[in-house]
Amino acid sequence: MGIVIRLGDPAKAFWHTRSVARTMGLNLSEAMATGRLTAGDYAAMVTRCRSCDCVQHCELWLARAAATAPAAPETCANADVYNRLKG
């Protein structure tokens, strides 16, 4: 039997992906419109979020983020992408 990866709720992952971006002052739709992010990259971000086991940490980070965050949470499966877009 192979490895089974359980994916979380796609709607929740979609909103988490957008919320982390927004908290960092990023607009993913704008990043796609300007060619800094492809539709495939965006879909991959949501899928990585769905497979991440740090959802509770992400939710706490989002709840505590009162101002624009300079970087993504270290435990975020998409931290590299967010930080690249922020850079």
Side-chain angles (χ1 to χ4, degrees):
M1 184 177 270
I3 296 174
V4 175
I5 298 174
R6 298 193 187 276
L7 296 176
D9 178 50
K12 187 174 189 176
F14 172 80
W15 289 111
H16 275 179
T17 301
R18 290 187 69 85
S19 295
V20 171
R22 185 183 66 246
T23 300
M24 293 179 63
L26 298 170
N27 180 320
L28 298 178
S29 296
E30 181 180 299
M32 288 193 324
T34 59
R36 295 177 41 217
L37 185 71
T38 68
D41 292 337
Y42 194 172
M45 289 177 74
V46 174
T47 300
R48 277 191 298 274
C49 185
R50 288 182 68 199
S51 64
C52 184
D53 60 355
C54 296
V55 173
Q56 288 180 333
H57 182 268
C58 179
E59 289 174 346
L60 288 172
W61 184 85
L62 285 167
R64 293 178 181 155
T68 301
E74 291 179 18
T75 58
C76 178
N78 291 308
D80 291 343
V81 179
Y82 289 126
N83 294 332
R84 175 181 57 79
L85 291 170
K86 182 76 174 183

